[in-house]
Amino acid sequence: MQPGPTSHRPYTLVAELTYRCPLRCLYCSNPVQRADAPQAELDTASWQRALTQAEELGVVQVHFSGGEPLLRRDLEALVQHAHSLGLYCSLITSALGLTRARLGELAQAGLDHVQISLQGLSDADGLQIAGRTGLAEKLVAMEWVRSLSLPLTVNVVLHRHNIEQVPELIDLAARVGAERLELANTQFLGWALENQAYLLPTAAQIERARAQASAARDRLRGRMEILFVLPDYHTGTVRACMSGWASRYMVVSPDGLVLPCHQAHTLPGLTFERVTERALGDIWRDSPALNAFRGEAWMEEPCRGCERREQDFGGCRCQAFALTGRLNATDPACRLAPEHGRVLEARSRAAAPPTAERPVQLRYRRVPSAR
């Protein structure tokens, strides 16, 4: 049975303002197949219209993301417009190219929160994973955020080459005054899947890091929230990706596609509409692509008869397709999935001694700062 018009109310809009970025992270969520092509981007008025329609639909917070959102010269105008609508405004950034003056302008425009990414504890980590140094810039930017009394989240994508740094990363986040530290194990889609052999940690590494994060969570309770996102490759269970397909999260790509998640445009047979083509509310309610995996009618066994089907919704559709070639397949990260062996094989390879395999570098041309 397909959901009714009020069954799914979006809570969060992820506004991917651009795919341009000064980094080339090996786990980047930017689309692999679009890496070499110049991308059209929505203009200011189109983004403002989309923000207005999102608020009318029930969205209460917006994450200005990318790529690197600082490369949009109209970022302040977009934050100001979102703030005027009563939306909680978060900036998701590498902080490279950020100035103290511009952060002040963004705060004055109504910015509520800043998330800054770290690749590791040294410039060598940045070069290895993102193709660029910049740790000192990031730490200075964190000081600016705190000096303006803005809430700060530090985000670290964990992988084989930095997961042993978890205790030191926790200490660093506490030292800069972060309210929240996200230790998010890599999800192997897009560029991360291309680089899976280079990035996937061992089970022992993950369990050790989880125990370290748990101990620090107790020690720092009330001072800093620590979120440790387990990789579903190692749990045997799957999460409700983005709280369920087109359920609570809405992603708008730089060129205006309305998506249920960052990678959905890679799925064949689904046609996603643009905010420049018709009203956002109409797209959210009526789009065949957004309705494709709402409810349970699309599910195959073992999902159809699983008691967790209303909790995990069959797992990630993008991961299921990437590993099986079928949109309706049970996410192979689930131990009950017929293709779970693909995940077990990847775990076995991760447990083997490291090889000299070189990662697949993103081909994005580095871009200068917007200011």
Side-chain angles (χ1 to χ4, degrees):
M1 182 168 129
Q2 289 296 328
T6 61
S7 296
H8 297 82
R9 173 185 170 180
Y11 177 82
T12 299
L13 168 64
V14 180
E16 291 189 297
L17 300 182
T18 182
Y19 286 141
R20 293 174 290 146
C21 188
L23 300 178
R24 301 193 306 274
C25 296
L26 299 179
Y27 42 72
C28 182
S29 64
N30 277 0
V32 172
Q33 73 274 24
R34 299 184 183 186
D36 289 328
Q39 294 298 307
E41 295 179 359
L42 295 177
D43 60 20
T44 304
S46 295
W47 270 117
Q48 290 174 332
R49 185 166 55 252
L51 289 165
T52 298
Q53 293 176 357
E55 190 278 332
E56 292 171 350
L57 195 56
V59 164
V60 299
Q61 62 181 3
V62 55
H63 299 326
F64 291 105
S65 180
E68 177 48 69
L70 292 173
L71 293 170
R72 290 283 302 220
R73 295 180 180 273
D74 58 355
L75 179 58
E76 290 84 346
L78 297 180
V79 169
Q80 184 175 38
H81 185 74
H83 176 73
S84 73
L85 296 168
L87 298 176
Y88 186 89
C89 301
S90 291
L91 175 64
I92 314 300
T93 179
S94 69
L96 299 181
L98 181 63
T99 65
R100 174 65 172 77
R102 191 174 192 197
L103 183 61
E105 292 171 6
L106 287 165
Q108 187 172 5
L111 188 65
D112 294 298
H113 166 260
V114 180
Q115 175 179 302
I116 296 178
S117 62
L118 284 180
Q119 283 69 47
L121 294 168
S122 70
D123 279 336
D125 294 322
L127 283 171
Q128 179 186 25
I129 296 300
R132 177 172 167 172
T133 61
L135 179 61
E137 289 180 66
K138 291 172 179 285
L139 295 178
V140 169
M142 292 176 191
E143 293 178 4
W144 293 338
V145 172
R146 300 303 297 126
S147 72
L148 290 170
S149 299
L150 287 170
L152 171 66
T153 293
V154 174
N155 172 270
V156 186
V157 176
L158 296 179
H159 48 79
R160 174 189 286 267
H161 303 283
N162 69 1
I163 197 168
E164 302 290 353
Q165 300 176 3
V166 162
E168 293 81 9
L169 289 165
I170 293 170
D171 290 343
L172 183 152
R175 190 166 63 250
V176 300
E179 279 84 3
R180 179 181 174 93
L181 170 63
E182 294 182 356
L183 299 168
N185 280 276
T186 303
Q187 184 174 12
F188 291 99
L189 295 169
W191 286 105
L193 185 59
E194 295 280 330
N195 289 304
Q196 183 191 84
Y198 190 77
L199 296 173
L200 185 62
T202 66
Q205 285 182 307
I206 292 168
E207 286 304 315
R208 185 160 53 247
R210 177 166 64 168
Q212 292 164 341
S214 178
R217 187 181 298 117
D218 292 338
R219 174 168 54 87
L220 296 171
R221 192 178 306 278
R223 178 181 169 192
M224 182 174 72
E225 179 185 6
I226 299 175
L227 178 66
F228 186 85
V229 182
L230 278 168
D232 47 15
Y233 267 39
H234 285 271
T235 62
T237 58
V238 292
R239 294 184 297 273
C241 184
M242 303 290 281
S243 297
W245 179 276
S247 177
R248 292 293 178 262
Y249 285 83
M250 171 193 301
V251 178
V252 177
S253 71
D255 53 354
L257 289 177
V258 181
L259 306 167
C261 65
H262 298 81
Q263 294 287 327
H265 55 78
T266 66
L267 300 178
L270 297 176
T271 301
F272 293 100
E273 300 174 78
R274 286 184 168 82
V275 293
T276 51
E277 297 169 344
R278 66 171 176 150
L280 186 58
D282 292 340
I283 296 174
W284 179 259
R285 287 184 290 267
D286 303 331
S287 165
L290 294 186
N291 277 311
F293 300 109
R294 287 171 169 162
E296 303 174 14
W298 62 271
M299 291 183 179
E300 301 176 351
E301 294 292 353
C303 289
R304 184 182 293 273
C306 180
E307 61 183 15
R308 287 180 52 86
R309 65 186 182 277
E310 295 181 358
Q311 298 171 314
D312 60 31
F313 307 106
C316 175
R317 293 302 87 215
C318 299
Q319 183 161 270
F321 176 75
L323 295 180
T324 72
R326 295 187 298 113
L327 296 181
N328 288 26
T330 299
D331 186 339
C334 177
R335 67 171 63 93
L336 301 177
E339 294 91 350
H340 186 55
R342 298 176 186 267
V343 170
L344 296 180
E345 290 171 7
R347 290 176 57 179
S348 296
R349 289 193 298 270
T355 68
E357 181 173 347
R358 295 175 62 82
V360 180
Q361 290 282 350
L362 273 71
R363 299 182 293 276
Y364 295 106
R365 177 173 57 85
R366 287 184 184 174
V367 291
S369 172
R371 288 197 172 186

